Amino acid sequence: MKLYIYDHCPFCVRARMILGLKNIAVEQIVLLDNDHETPIRMIGKKMLPILEKDDGSYLPESLDIVHYIDQLSEKKYATGVLSPQIETWSKAVSGVVSKLVTPRFVETDFPEISTNEARAAYKERTSKSYGDLAEFRKETHTLLVELAPQMSLLDVWLENRGETIDINDFYIFPTLRSLSIVAGLAFSSNIRNYMDKMSHITKVDLLFDKAK
C-alpha cells in the first residue's frame, strides 16, 4: 500500500494516525501542492489523502481510509460513536483554527510547498477559501481569545474521558496537531499531555519545533 498526503493536512493526519496505531508500515508519499495531475488521475479530483491499496485501486476520504485500515487487523481503534460534544467542538473551532494555522503553514518548510510554484499555489488556494492570510496573522491575539473557551471545553472533556482511544481522537488530535504550530498558544497540561501521548502512539509528529 501507499499513502499520498500533505504533511500539514489534518485530514491526512487521520490516515497517518491509524497506520501508526496499527503499526502498519506503508510508503507515505508527499505530493506538491501544485500537482493536480496525480490525484486527478487516481480519483478524478485534487484532494488528499489517497490510499493506494495492494490491488492497485485508490481510496480517498480520510475517515474511509481510517476504517479500511482499522478492519485489516485487531486491535480496533476507530470504534464507538462521535461524541456530540466533540462534534460540536470540532465545528465550532474549525474557522478560527484555519485562520490561525493557514498563514503559518504558508511560512513553514513543508515538503508539499517546497518549490516556489507549490507555495504560490497553496497560498492562492487557501486565500480564496479563507481570505487575507496576512490579516489573519495580524489578528492572532483576537483569534486566540476566541479559541480559549473552546479549549477549556476540550480540557474538561478530556479530563472526564479516560484513556480510551476511539473515533473521537481522529477529530481531536489532527486539530491540536495543527494548532501546535501557533507559537502564542498555551495548552493546558491536560491537553498537552494528550497531544504528547497521541503523537507518540500514532507516530505523527507535533509541530512545536516549527511554531511561529
Side-chain angles (χ1 to χ4, degrees), residues 82-92 168 171:
L82 180 61
S83 162
Q85 293 95 328
I86 294 305
E87 183 176 17
T88 299
W89 177 84
S90 183
K91 291 176 180 177
N168 292 283
Y171 287 78

Side-chain angles (χ1 to χ4, degrees), residues 38-58:
T38 301
I40 289 174
R41 172 176 55 81
M42 293 174 178
I43 61 169
K45 57 183 174 180
K46 183 182 184 293
M47 65 173 290
L48 294 181
I50 300 170
L51 180 71
E52 182 178 353
K53 299 181 184 179
D54 289 332
D55 64 4
S57 64
Y58 298 104

